[in-house]
Amino acid sequence: MATLKDVAKLACVDVSTVSRALNNTSYVHPDTKARIFAAVKELSYQPNLLAKGLRQGKRNTIGVVIPRLIMTVFAEITQGIEEEARKHGYATLICHTEDSPKVEKECLNRLRNGFIDGLIIAGTGRNTRLVRDIHSSGLACTQIVRKQDSLISSVVVDYKACGYEAVRYLASKGCREIGLINGSMQLTPYRDRYEGYRKALAELGLSETSAVSPQPASVHSLEYGYDCTLELLGTNPKLDAIIAAADVQGIGALRALKEQGRRPEQIRVISLTGHIIGGMLETAMTSMEMPAHEIGVKAALMTIEEIDSPEEHKAGPRHLVYQSSLVEREST
């Protein structure tokens, strides 16, 4: 493998000149720089980025801790993070936890002791003290989707408004028995959606029918949406609409309704977390869609800005709240 010395020898310059040219830290004559880059190409020289990062006290890597990638909005968010981080010369290390506090804690401890400059996390809320400790140690931190700690920057969505608007929309379609498939009330998005749902029902004089998971990890499954739909139907046979917290739950709900012989015009279904797959189903699903890719991009930018800010100029936490937008499809 070629070294910096090999490049310097072939370009007929000293090692420090090669270093200055490659890092663009000071002026190098254009002709000299051209010889150096020609030597780099001829020798297929690859700089040791890890050693460089250690010398500079920087790893150019961001850790990303999320519940799950498969069939969730976190896949699109993570893609936004990766694309934006790459533009700024950063790599990403991704950990998924299935919303297990134990797994999350293990991931956080590995990342903090490894080679990362910053952390982006959609946490369970059970390791808030550890995340705060990691942030206090000098690592940049940004919360996504779930804001657990007001002392750490966050990029989230107005979930109360999301739940509220979904109920009002279904009511405008003539629905009066509106059920909710939700997640653990320990997690902010599910708790806030429920509050928005209840507020709208109260204003309209409607009664509540909801199914809430006792186990956070189970909400990310088709089976959970399927089982909750059967529970809702058993609780309220007059049900004429279902709000699902996420598309994966909504897909399970649509399957259960089909097996029960219920048509879309009989029981309308809407998801509160739109995913691209929802629009490709046999019965395309209406959803309140969050700007997932944009959330990922913004989270990456905020984290990189914190990493690059001098210690004496570090800004306080920033909290960005996006709005969801209604995309109407066949399920309503």
Side-chain angles (χ1 to χ4, degrees), residues 134-147:
I134 290 171
H135 189 231
S136 299
S137 72
L139 287 178
C141 289
T142 304
Q143 302 168 101
I144 51 170
V145 179
R146 303 166 179 178
K147 177 185 172 185

Side-chain angles (χ1 to χ4, degrees), residues 12 39 103 124 136 145 157 164 187 246 248 267 302:
C12 299
V103 173
T124 62
S136 299
V145 179
V157 173
Y164 179 87
L187 298 174
V248 67
I267 300 183
M302 287 170 60

Side-chain angles (χ1 to χ4, degrees), residues 25-85:
T25 54
S26 60
Y27 177 79
V28 176
H29 193 279
D31 292 342
T32 304
K33 187 176 286 189
R35 290 205 315 276
I36 291 170
F37 284 129
V40 166
K41 184 176 181 180
E42 182 176 337
L43 296 171
S44 298
Y45 170 71
Q46 294 291 330
N48 189 331
L49 297 178
L50 177 58
K52 177 183 175 182
L54 291 174
R55 288 194 302 271
Q56 296 178 344
K58 191 174 179 182
R59 288 84 173 178
N60 286 91
T61 303
I62 296 171
V64 181
V65 179
I66 52 174
R68 199 182 201 204
L69 283 172
I70 300 174
M71 290 185 69
T72 70
V73 73
F74 291 107
E76 193 174 350
I77 291 174
T78 301
Q79 185 173 349
I81 291 171
E82 285 194 295
E83 289 176 1
E84 192 62 27

Side-chain angles (χ1 to χ4, degrees), residues 3-9 12-23 36 45:
T3 66
L4 207 65
K5 289 182 178 179
D6 296 327
V7 174
K9 183 177 180 180
C12 299
V13 296
D14 56 38
V15 172
S16 63
T17 304
V18 175
S19 179
R20 296 202 318 275
L22 296 182
N23 293 311
I36 291 170
Y45 170 71

